[in-house]
Amino acid sequence: MPKDGGLLCVMNDIAPACDWRDYEAWYQQDHVPDRLSIPGFLSARRYRRLHGPRAEFLTIYETATPQVLCSAPYLKRLAEPTDWTARIMAHFRTMSRSICRVSLDEGQAGAGGLLALIAHQAAPEVALESQLAATLAQPGVTRVRLWRADPSVTVPSPEEKLRPGGDASFATIMVVEGTNAEMIQAALQTANITDATSFYSLIYASPEKHLKESPA
């Protein structure tokens, strides 16, 4: 993903009363295809937490630019959710929705099966880019990314009213992808990154659209 591209990072739990089969069917049959049909949306990835303090589910949408996330087509979808979306959203808990600009994306193409995530609600006063880049030299690490909230395109979502408790957001999100959780953890420690880390396993990755298909 090129630097200064857009990124929507969603984390959520679901209520115990939610039908797991219905939740999965909605995501794969309704929600992801709907979002990827919006001009400028390039890809979607879904993860489930292995361990750590953040929510159980993580969904990442990459966009051609951050401005896609305040575009008229996207805002129209947010204002007109499907009936299925309205039903599922009532089961969302501890929801966070962060609209970001890509600050760093280095490493191999593709996706590591494991992802380590560190999220801050305030931007740390440290050189995160160089810290993260240092982990790439360690075994088991395939890709590192840093996303920073972009206030210029952060707009409230009309869907928030469907979700009990409202939406949180993060100012900075660090991601290290790789093939082995112990190796990723060791790489973070080598780079002096000691923040509380959540580990996620990849459960779905959409095909990626080429940037030229998206609006300038």
Side-chain angles (χ1 to χ4, degrees):
M1 184 72 187
K3 185 177 179 181
D4 292 328
L7 196 291
L8 176 62
C9 180
V10 174
M11 289 180 263
N12 68 279
D13 293 313
I14 56 173
C18 184
D19 184 331
W20 166 251
R21 295 168 299 179
D22 193 34
Y23 177 80
E24 278 299 306
W26 164 75
Y27 240 125
Q28 293 304 125
Q29 298 172 24
D30 182 276
H31 202 60
V32 167
D34 176 77
R35 292 307 190 246
L36 291 180
S37 71
I38 298 170
F41 272 70
L42 302 178
S43 68
R45 292 186 187 178
R46 298 184 54 223
Y47 296 82
R48 191 171 186 181
R49 186 188 61 212
L50 296 172
H51 58 82
R54 298 302 173 199
E56 183 175 5
F57 297 99
L58 165 68
T59 305
I60 300 164
Y61 299 99
E62 293 182 329
T63 62
T65 66
Q67 287 70 31
V68 169
L69 295 163
C70 64
S71 66
Y74 179 54
L75 295 180
K76 179 176 172 62
R77 299 295 178 85
L78 291 176
E80 300 174 359
T82 66
D83 291 342
W84 202 354
T85 292
R87 186 175 78 246
I88 292 294
M89 287 290 177
H91 294 288
F92 270 50
R93 300 292 186 270
T94 58
M95 169 78 173
S96 68
R97 179 178 178 272
S98 304
I99 294 178
C100 302
R101 184 180 296 274
V102 176
S103 181
L104 175 73
D105 189 344
E106 295 185 2
Q108 301 174 20
L114 297 174
L115 179 152
L117 180 144
I118 298 167
H120 295 283
Q121 291 185 314
E125 296 295 328
V126 293
L128 296 178
E129 285 87 350
S130 59
Q131 273 191 300
L132 276 174
T135 67
L136 276 173
Q138 302 301 315
V141 174
T142 59
R143 186 179 184 185
V144 296
R145 294 191 276 178
L146 176 63
W147 308 322
R148 296 186 185 275
D150 191 331
S152 70
V153 297
T154 299
V155 294
S157 169
E159 288 183 349
E160 183 175 358
K161 66 181 183 295
L162 302 173
R163 299 186 283 264
D167 296 351
S169 63
F170 293 99
T172 306
I173 300 172
M174 296 184 283
V175 165
V176 177
E177 293 182 30
T179 59
N180 179 282
E182 290 76 16
M183 289 181 180
I184 294 172
Q185 188 66 65
L188 289 169
Q189 291 172 353
T190 298
N192 294 317
I193 300 173
T194 58
D195 311 79
T197 305
S198 296
F199 278 82
Y200 289 86
S201 177
L202 180 67
I203 56 177
Y204 173 75
S206 74
E208 295 187 7
K209 299 178 185 177
H210 195 278
L211 283 171
K212 71 180 182 180
E213 297 179 18
S214 305

